[in-house]
Amino acid sequence: MKKTVNLTFYTKENEQLVEMFSPDLMKKFIPNWFKGLKHTPGVTMNNCPGFVDFLQSSIAIPLWSDYKITYEKSIILDVECPGANSSNNIQEYIQQHTPNQWNFAYKDSCHVKLMSPWLVKSDTDIDFMMHDPTWHKEKQMGMYTLVPGIVNFKYQPSTAINMFLTPSEKPKTIEFEAGEPMAYLTPLGNVNLKIKTELISHERWNQMLKHRFSFTNLAQKTKKFIMRRNNGY
């Protein structure tokens, strides 16, 4: 019998965000091209167990706002976002890491970090793979790549989305539309998932953020100390 994993997605934004753009099971975000696919035995994606199992077991995080990002090579030139009213608060919506963090590989690829309005808590110690929304990129295949990573919401709540934009020698603008799946979360285990969302106060949100107590390896050390406390010293 499969174990049930309960995930709660929290936001401090507003009720409409919860109503319109809540993360949920992939069955709520079936790609349009798949909906119109005729059932032909042994020929189409309807019969691909890897794809069908993926749809039945994963979570989609839809984009919570339109974004328009202009960049050249590895540099972000301009960002437009309906919620960002000045350069003073743009860091709340989008950030960028420096290429020394990946030893200057992926030359001229532009790193973008979308600051998600969702924090997550899990009642179970289970890893999830956050990865590229490939099956929803019908119109943007090759324009950007979400970098994959492992997250465990038992020990950290963040759902920030990291990606590389395809290198461009000239200024280029890429647009992302609210409501489109921007990341997938796939559990690394055969489990049932139950998802709920909750609107919380700004105060409660700040209390849920990671406690920054170390200069290095914060995620690993956080997990170590929580596990040690839970299991006894």
Side-chain angles (χ1 to χ4, degrees):
M1 184 177 180
K2 288 185 180 181
K3 182 175 183 178
T4 297
V5 175
N6 295 284
L7 294 177
T8 303
F9 286 78
Y10 298 91
T11 186
K12 60 180 172 59
E13 297 302 323
N14 53 59
E15 290 182 356
Q16 281 197 335
L17 174 67
V18 176
E19 292 172 356
M20 297 188 296
F21 303 130
S22 287
D24 213 329
L25 298 174
M26 279 287 291
K27 63 184 180 181
K28 303 283 186 69
F29 296 93
I30 301 298
N32 289 329
W33 62 264
F34 187 72
K35 292 178 181 177
L37 198 60
K38 294 181 179 180
H39 287 267
T40 304
V43 177
T44 68
M45 293 290 286
N46 287 308
N47 306 287
C48 174
F51 179 68
V52 173
D53 288 349
F54 167 71
L55 287 182
Q56 294 175 344
S57 64
S58 298
I59 298 168
I61 301 178
L63 192 59
W64 47 89
S65 172
D66 291 347
Y67 279 85
K68 185 182 293 185
I69 303 170
T70 302
Y71 70 101
E72 182 178 359
K73 295 185 177 178
S74 63
I75 300 172
I76 296 176
L77 302 175
D78 185 56
V79 177
E80 295 182 49
C81 177
N85 50 34
S86 71
S87 59
N88 294 329
N89 73 339
I90 194 65
Q91 289 285 312
E92 298 178 15
Y93 295 87
I94 189 171
Q95 296 181 14
Q96 186 177 43
H97 292 313
T98 54
N100 63 295
Q101 294 191 21
W102 44 88
N103 198 26
F104 300 95
Y106 315 107
K107 186 178 180 181
D108 293 335
S109 292
C110 183
H111 173 262
V112 171
K113 183 177 184 178
L114 300 181
M115 305 307 292
S116 169
W118 300 102
L119 297 178
V120 190
K121 276 195 172 184
S122 170
D123 68 349
T124 304
D125 184 352
I126 184 172
D127 291 334
F128 285 80
M129 172 76 80
M130 178 182 279
H131 53 112
D132 196 70
T134 305
W135 299 114
H136 288 85
K137 290 171 64 174
E138 183 180 359
K139 298 179 181 179
Q140 292 185 309
M141 187 68 80
M143 298 176 68
Y144 71 95
T145 300
L146 206 77
V147 292
I150 303 296
V151 291
N152 190 314
F153 300 118
K154 182 74 172 177
Y155 304 107
Q156 73 84 37
S158 175
T159 56
I161 295 174
N162 287 278
M163 69 180 78
F164 284 117
L165 306 182
T166 300
S168 177
E169 294 294 323
K170 299 179 180 179
K172 181 179 180 179
T173 299
I174 184 170
E175 297 186 39
F176 299 105
E177 186 176 348
E180 288 297 312
M182 203 65 199
Y184 298 151
L185 289 170
T186 301
L188 302 185
N190 189 21
V191 296
N192 290 317
L193 297 174
K194 285 192 175 181
I195 312 297
K196 70 175 184 177
T197 53
E198 186 174 331
L199 179 63
I200 59 176
S201 68
H202 284 241
E203 180 182 11
R204 175 61 179 141
W205 170 277
N206 291 332
Q207 291 172 346
M208 290 181 62
L209 295 175
K210 290 181 288 187
H211 174 50
R212 298 190 176 277
F213 62 91
S214 177
F215 292 113
T216 60
N217 301 323
L218 181 62
Q220 296 92 327
K221 290 180 179 178
T222 298
K223 181 176 181 178
K224 181 187 73 173
F225 282 115
I226 292 176
M227 290 183 68
R228 190 169 77 176
R229 176 59 64 90
N230 290 342
N231 296 329
Y233 288 94

